[in-house]
PDB file of all heavy atoms in Angstrom:
ATOM      1  N   GLN A  28      15.460 -11.420  -6.932  1.00 88.00           N
ATOM      2  CA  GLN A  28      15.905 -10.367  -5.989  1.00 88.00           C
ATOM      3  C   GLN A  28      14.858  -9.099  -6.218  1.00 88.00           C
ATOM      4  O   GLN A  28      14.468  -8.541  -5.185  1.00 88.00           O
ATOM      5  CB  GLN A  28      17.283  -9.839  -6.249  1.00 88.00           C
ATOM      6  CG  GLN A  28      18.422 -10.610  -5.584  1.00 88.00           C
ATOM      7  CD  GLN A  28      18.340 -10.434  -4.031  1.00 88.00           C
ATOM      8  OE1 GLN A  28      17.496  -9.691  -3.538  1.00 88.00           O
ATOM      9  NE2 GLN A  28      19.266 -11.059  -3.341  1.00 88.00           N
ATOM     10  N   LYS A  55      -6.091  10.387  21.521  1.00 57.00           N
ATOM     11  CA  LYS A  55      -7.354   9.551  21.671  1.00 57.00           C
ATOM     12  C   LYS A  55      -7.204   8.420  22.472  1.00 57.00           C
ATOM     13  O   LYS A  55      -6.126   7.686  22.264  1.00 57.00           O
ATOM     14  CB  LYS A  55      -7.726   9.220  20.219  1.00 57.00           C
ATOM     15  CG  LYS A  55      -8.400  10.261  19.430  1.00 57.00           C
ATOM     16  CD  LYS A  55      -9.817  10.393  19.678  1.00 57.00           C
ATOM     17  CE  LYS A  55     -10.561  11.528  18.827  1.00 57.00           C
ATOM     18  NZ  LYS A  55     -11.772  11.824  19.433  1.00 57.00           N
ATOM     19  N   GLU A  56      -8.126   8.198  23.308  1.00 64.00           N
ATOM     20  CA  GLU A  56      -8.063   6.935  24.150  1.00 64.00           C
ATOM     21  C   GLU A  56      -8.785   5.733  23.384  1.00 64.00           C
ATOM     22  O   GLU A  56      -9.976   5.718  23.390  1.00 64.00           O
ATOM     23  CB  GLU A  56      -8.898   7.304  25.439  1.00 64.00           C
ATOM     24  CG  GLU A  56      -7.983   8.057  26.586  1.00 64.00           C
ATOM     25  CD  GLU A  56      -6.707   7.255  26.816  1.00 64.00           C
ATOM     26  OE1 GLU A  56      -6.846   5.908  27.060  1.00 64.00           O
ATOM     27  OE2 GLU A  56      -5.647   7.838  27.092  1.00 64.00           O
ATOM     28  N   ALA A  84      18.523 -11.519   2.067  1.00 93.00           N
ATOM     29  CA  ALA A  84      19.914 -11.714   2.617  1.00 93.00           C
ATOM     30  C   ALA A  84      20.349 -13.156   2.268  1.00 93.00           C
ATOM     31  O   ALA A  84      21.567 -13.251   1.788  1.00 93.00           O
ATOM     32  CB  ALA A  84      19.874 -11.377   4.017  1.00 93.00           C
ATOM     33  N   VAL A 129      55.336 -20.200 -47.580  1.00 62.00           N
ATOM     34  CA  VAL A 129      55.408 -20.410 -49.053  1.00 62.00           C
ATOM     35  C   VAL A 129      55.919 -21.801 -49.291  1.00 62.00           C
ATOM     36  O   VAL A 129      55.425 -22.680 -50.070  1.00 62.00           O
ATOM     37  CB  VAL A 129      56.178 -19.304 -49.962  1.00 62.00           C
ATOM     38  CG1 VAL A 129      56.316 -19.816 -51.350  1.00 62.00           C
ATOM     39  CG2 VAL A 129      55.404 -18.095 -49.947  1.00 62.00           C
ATOM     40  N   ILE A 162      39.545 -14.282 -24.521  1.00 71.00           N
ATOM     41  CA  ILE A 162      40.310 -13.785 -23.497  1.00 71.00           C
ATOM     42  C   ILE A 162      39.798 -12.455 -23.095  1.00 71.00           C
ATOM     43  O   ILE A 162      39.557 -12.154 -21.852  1.00 71.00           O
ATOM     44  CB  ILE A 162      41.820 -13.562 -23.742  1.00 71.00           C
ATOM     45  CG1 ILE A 162      42.534 -15.110 -23.775  1.00 71.00           C
ATOM     46  CG2 ILE A 162      42.597 -12.843 -22.656  1.00 71.00           C
ATOM     47  CD1 ILE A 162      43.896 -15.070 -24.461  1.00 71.00           C
ATOM     48  N   GLU A 171      33.189  -7.508 -14.359  1.00 82.00           N
ATOM     49  CA  GLU A 171      31.815  -7.477 -14.049  1.00 82.00           C
ATOM     50  C   GLU A 171      31.336  -8.216 -12.755  1.00 82.00           C
ATOM     51  O   GLU A 171      30.644  -7.781 -11.861  1.00 82.00           O
ATOM     52  CB  GLU A 171      30.940  -7.967 -15.159  1.00 82.00           C
ATOM     53  CG  GLU A 171      30.986  -6.878 -16.366  1.00 82.00           C
ATOM     54  CD  GLU A 171      30.217  -7.453 -17.539  1.00 82.00           C
ATOM     55  OE1 GLU A 171      29.692  -8.601 -17.564  1.00 82.00           O
ATOM     56  OE2 GLU A 171      30.054  -6.701 -18.581  1.00 82.00           O
ATOM     57  N   LYS A 181      27.728  -5.268  -0.093  1.00 93.00           N
ATOM     58  CA  LYS A 181      27.264  -4.054   0.303  1.00 93.00           C
ATOM     59  C   LYS A 181      25.731  -4.164   0.607  1.00 93.00           C
ATOM     60  O   LYS A 181      25.249  -3.796   1.740  1.00 93.00           O
ATOM     61  CB  LYS A 181      27.523  -2.898  -0.659  1.00 93.00           C
ATOM     62  CG  LYS A 181      28.724  -2.038  -0.434  1.00 93.00           C
ATOM     63  CD  LYS A 181      28.690  -0.824  -1.313  1.00 93.00           C
ATOM     64  CE  LYS A 181      29.961  -0.055  -1.108  1.00 93.00           C
ATOM     65  NZ  LYS A 181      30.012   1.099  -2.018  1.00 93.00           N
ATOM     66  N   ARG A 191      18.237  -5.946  11.775  1.00 95.00           N
ATOM     67  CA  ARG A 191      18.643  -5.793  13.102  1.00 95.00           C
ATOM     68  C   ARG A 191      17.769  -4.774  13.771  1.00 95.00           C
ATOM     69  O   ARG A 191      17.306  -5.015  14.928  1.00 95.00           O
ATOM     70  CB  ARG A 191      20.131  -5.476  13.234  1.00 95.00           C
ATOM     71  CG  ARG A 191      20.626  -5.913  14.701  1.00 95.00           C
ATOM     72  CD  ARG A 191      22.177  -5.603  14.745  1.00 95.00           C
ATOM     73  NE  ARG A 191      22.874  -6.687  13.793  1.00 95.00           N
ATOM     74  CZ  ARG A 191      23.907  -6.328  13.110  1.00 95.00           C
ATOM     75  NH1 ARG A 191      24.353  -5.067  13.024  1.00 95.00           N
ATOM     76  NH2 ARG A 191      24.563  -7.206  12.417  1.00 95.00           N
ATOM     77  N   LYS A 224     -20.350 -10.597  20.690  1.00 86.00           N
ATOM     78  CA  LYS A 224     -21.485  -9.733  20.499  1.00 86.00           C
ATOM     79  C   LYS A 224     -21.185  -8.877  19.207  1.00 86.00           C
ATOM     80  O   LYS A 224     -22.121  -8.719  18.414  1.00 86.00           O
ATOM     81  CB  LYS A 224     -21.621  -8.827  21.570  1.00 86.00           C
ATOM     82  CG  LYS A 224     -22.977  -7.933  21.587  1.00 86.00           C
ATOM     83  CD  LYS A 224     -23.094  -7.060  22.847  1.00 86.00           C
ATOM     84  CE  LYS A 224     -24.393  -6.155  22.693  1.00 86.00           C
ATOM     85  NZ  LYS A 224     -24.445  -5.302  23.892  1.00 86.00           N
ATOM     86  N   ILE A 236     -27.540  -7.892   4.008  1.00 93.00           N
ATOM     87  CA  ILE A 236     -26.950  -7.670   2.697  1.00 93.00           C
ATOM     88  C   ILE A 236     -27.265  -8.820   1.711  1.00 93.00           C
ATOM     89  O   ILE A 236     -27.716  -8.635   0.579  1.00 93.00           O
ATOM     90  CB  ILE A 236     -25.435  -7.365   2.815  1.00 93.00           C
ATOM     91  CG1 ILE A 236     -25.282  -6.059   3.596  1.00 93.00           C
ATOM     92  CG2 ILE A 236     -24.904  -7.579   1.380  1.00 93.00           C
ATOM     93  CD1 ILE A 236     -23.740  -5.904   3.885  1.00 93.00           C
ATOM     94  N   ASN A 273     -16.137  -6.481 -18.331  1.00 97.00           N
ATOM     95  CA  ASN A 273     -15.082  -5.448 -17.960  1.00 97.00           C
ATOM     96  C   ASN A 273     -14.504  -5.424 -16.557  1.00 97.00           C
ATOM     97  O   ASN A 273     -13.492  -5.318 -16.368  1.00 97.00           O
ATOM     98  CB  ASN A 273     -15.702  -4.011 -18.305  1.00 97.00           C
ATOM     99  CG  ASN A 273     -15.884  -3.775 -19.803  1.00 97.00           C
ATOM    100  OD1 ASN A 273     -15.195  -4.380 -20.633  1.00 97.00           O
ATOM    101  ND2 ASN A 273     -16.704  -2.875 -20.158  1.00 97.00           N
ATOM    102  N   GLU A 317      -8.273   7.477   7.381  1.00 92.00           N
ATOM    103  CA  GLU A 317      -8.282   8.788   8.178  1.00 92.00           C
ATOM    104  C   GLU A 317      -9.724   9.370   8.302  1.00 92.00           C
ATOM    105  O   GLU A 317     -10.624   8.950   7.490  1.00 92.00           O
ATOM    106  CB  GLU A 317      -7.392   9.777   7.401  1.00 92.00           C
ATOM    107  CG  GLU A 317      -6.104   9.474   7.222  1.00 92.00           C
ATOM    108  CD  GLU A 317      -5.197  10.430   6.338  1.00 92.00           C
ATOM    109  OE1 GLU A 317      -5.810  10.872   5.278  1.00 92.00           O
ATOM    110  OE2 GLU A 317      -4.041  10.617   6.647  1.00 92.00           O
ATOM    111  N   GLY A 319     -12.835  11.645   8.036  1.00 94.00           N
ATOM    112  CA  GLY A 319     -13.359  12.370   6.882  1.00 94.00           C
ATOM    113  C   GLY A 319     -12.962  11.850   5.547  1.00 94.00           C
ATOM    114  O   GLY A 319     -13.092  12.519   4.497  1.00 94.00           O
ATOM    115  N   THR A 352     -20.469  -4.553  -5.437  1.00 98.00           N
ATOM    116  CA  THR A 352     -19.540  -4.091  -4.438  1.00 98.00           C
ATOM    117  C   THR A 352     -20.260  -3.570  -3.350  1.00 98.00           C
ATOM    118  O   THR A 352     -21.254  -2.832  -3.524  1.00 98.00           O
ATOM    119  CB  THR A 352     -18.411  -3.303  -5.044  1.00 98.00           C
ATOM    120  OG1 THR A 352     -19.145  -2.081  -5.799  1.00 98.00           O
ATOM    121  CG2 THR A 352     -17.506  -3.940  -5.933  1.00 98.00           C
ATOM    122  N   GLN A 399     -16.744 -12.769  -2.513  1.00 97.00           N
ATOM    123  CA  GLN A 399     -15.307 -12.974  -3.125  1.00 97.00           C
ATOM    124  C   GLN A 399     -14.354 -12.393  -2.144  1.00 97.00           C
ATOM    125  O   GLN A 399     -14.670 -11.521  -1.401  1.00 97.00           O
ATOM    126  CB  GLN A 399     -15.310 -12.243  -4.501  1.00 97.00           C
ATOM    127  CG  GLN A 399     -16.418 -12.667  -5.502  1.00 97.00           C
ATOM    128  CD  GLN A 399     -15.954 -13.790  -6.460  1.00 97.00           C
ATOM    129  OE1 GLN A 399     -14.908 -13.660  -7.047  1.00 97.00           O
ATOM    130  NE2 GLN A 399     -16.553 -14.963  -6.336  1.00 97.00           N
TER     131      GLN A 399
END
Side-chain angles (χ1 to χ4, degrees):
Q28 274 292 4
K55 280 282 181 190
E56 277 300 320
V129 171
I162 287 169
E171 287 174 357
K181 264 187 183 178
R191 198 175 292 142
K224 190 177 177 183
I236 290 168
N273 285 340
E317 296 172 326
T352 51
Q399 304 269 303

